[in-house]
Amino acid sequence: MSQSIYFFLFFVYGLIFGSFFNVVGLRLPKKQSIISPPSHCPKCNTRLSARDLIPVFSYFINGKKCRICKESISPIYWVIELATGILFAAVFYFYGFTMETLMVLLFVSLLVIITVSDLAYRIIPDKVVFPFLALFLILRFFIHPHESYVSHLIGMVLGFTVFLLVAIVSRGGMGGGDIKLFAVVGLFLGYPLLLLTILLSTLFGALYGILLIVFVEAGRKTEVPFGPFIAIGSLCAVFWGESIIQWYWNFFY
Ligand SMILES: [Zn+2]
């Protein structure tokens, strides 16, 4: 019984934080303050009141439009809020009340924010990536339940180097933001799970690319941001990575 209350609380906190991550992801790349001005409609600039700021619900209650000027609001806001709610609850499901829960919540925060920025502007901002890099360098020294600290450092160097090489060989086919993000992902996960993340995110990216080519004619020309796929790959590695690697060893050896 009490477990389900905690699930619910983590979910609700996730919704609220998701709403905040939308603001951070959309404003930081444009060099705007996160705090002021308060949330407003991008079209008519009307300041949003409490009833417009309830995560997910406001969007549907207001008929998917701004209450004042009736401009359609992008569904990305509520999708991100709901996803963050589900992810926070999932973190509690997998890690319970441990120090690693705090770590993974931070990691989820990073991934959600860069997904918002990458979807909106095709940018993974240094202003988001570097603080998390510094934070994980310090925190991982103390909290590393699965891998040694050295494994996390190897992950960081490996993530950075592999994709720097990819960028050089492909002559800019890989963005600088992606390279730095992989350094943070490697640092957070350690190198075995980094390798799994690289595999999964390129696999998901490729599948999406194939779907675009098959179902959308312009698919070939569409530039797809890679950040969201790195995020999804990383999350799979966080939640199921150990099991996937275990399964792999049992299956082939
Ligand atoms: Zn408006």
Side-chain angles (χ1 to χ4, degrees):
M1 180 60 200
S2 62
Q3 281 300 90
S4 44
I5 292 173
Y6 290 129
F7 265 116
F8 181 70
L9 284 177
F10 270 80
F11 177 70
V12 171
Y13 277 120
L15 291 181
I16 296 165
F17 272 95
S19 178
F20 175 63
F21 297 155
N22 272 326
V23 173
V24 176
L26 289 174
R27 287 194 185 182
L28 268 189
K30 291 170 84 182
K31 301 192 190 332
Q32 294 168 336
S33 159
I34 306 168
I35 307 154
S36 69
S39 299
H40 55 272
C41 167
K43 178 89 182 294
C44 67
N45 276 324
T46 306
R47 184 171 164 177
L48 301 185
S49 58
R51 61 188 272 200
D52 304 314
L53 291 170
I54 309 162
V56 183
F57 295 101
S58 291
Y59 175 81
F60 291 100
I61 290 168
N62 293 339
K64 308 177 188 178
K65 292 182 178 78
C66 167
R67 210 155 41 80
I68 308 300
C69 71
K70 305 297 172 200
E71 173 81 357
S72 301
I73 296 168
S74 167
I76 192 76
Y77 294 100
W78 76 265
V79 171
I80 289 289
E81 286 161 355
L82 185 63
T84 313
I86 293 169
L87 286 171
F88 272 39
V91 173
F92 176 69
Y93 173 80
F94 283 99
Y95 294 95
F97 287 109
T98 60
M99 291 304 281
E100 188 64 4
T101 296
L102 283 178
M103 295 294 284
V104 179
L105 286 177
L106 285 170
F107 190 54
V108 166
S109 308
L110 163 71
L111 296 175
V112 172
I113 295 170
I114 63 94
T115 296
V116 171
S117 299
D118 209 9
L119 287 176
Y121 312 114
R122 303 280 191 275
I123 288 174
I124 296 175
D126 286 349
K127 271 187 187 166
V128 176
V129 173
F130 286 152
F132 277 97
L133 184 74
L135 196 63
F136 291 148
L137 263 176
I138 298 165
L139 291 180
R140 266 290 178 241
F141 183 78
F142 301 103
I143 308 162
H144 47 87
H146 305 298
E147 297 286 326
S148 68
Y149 187 55
V150 175
S151 162
H152 288 282
L153 293 181
I154 295 173
M156 175 179 69
V157 175
L158 202 63
F160 184 80
T161 316
V162 166
F163 288 97
L164 185 64
L165 290 177
V166 171
I168 293 169
V169 171
S170 68
R171 288 161 191 264
M174 191 90 193
D178 298 321
I179 302 169
K180 288 171 242 174
L181 179 61
F182 265 119
V184 185
V185 168
L187 169 65
F188 186 85
L189 294 175
Y191 74 87
L193 287 183
L194 169 74
L195 296 178
L196 180 67
T197 302
I198 295 173
L199 191 75
L200 291 175
S201 45
T202 38
L203 187 72
F204 294 147
L207 282 177
Y208 183 76
I210 290 168
L211 287 178
L212 271 188
I213 291 168
V214 172
F215 292 106
V216 187
E217 270 190 52
R220 253 168 241 275
K221 287 166 204 143
T222 314
E223 203 186 308
V224 181
F226 192 37
F229 296 105
I230 303 175
I232 296 169
S234 303
L235 290 168
C236 291
V238 164
F239 293 137
W240 299 292
E242 305 284 336
S243 323
I244 293 173
I245 291 174
Q246 198 72 45
W247 172 84
Y248 177 86
W249 286 116
N250 292 343
F251 194 81
F252 288 100
Y253 296 95

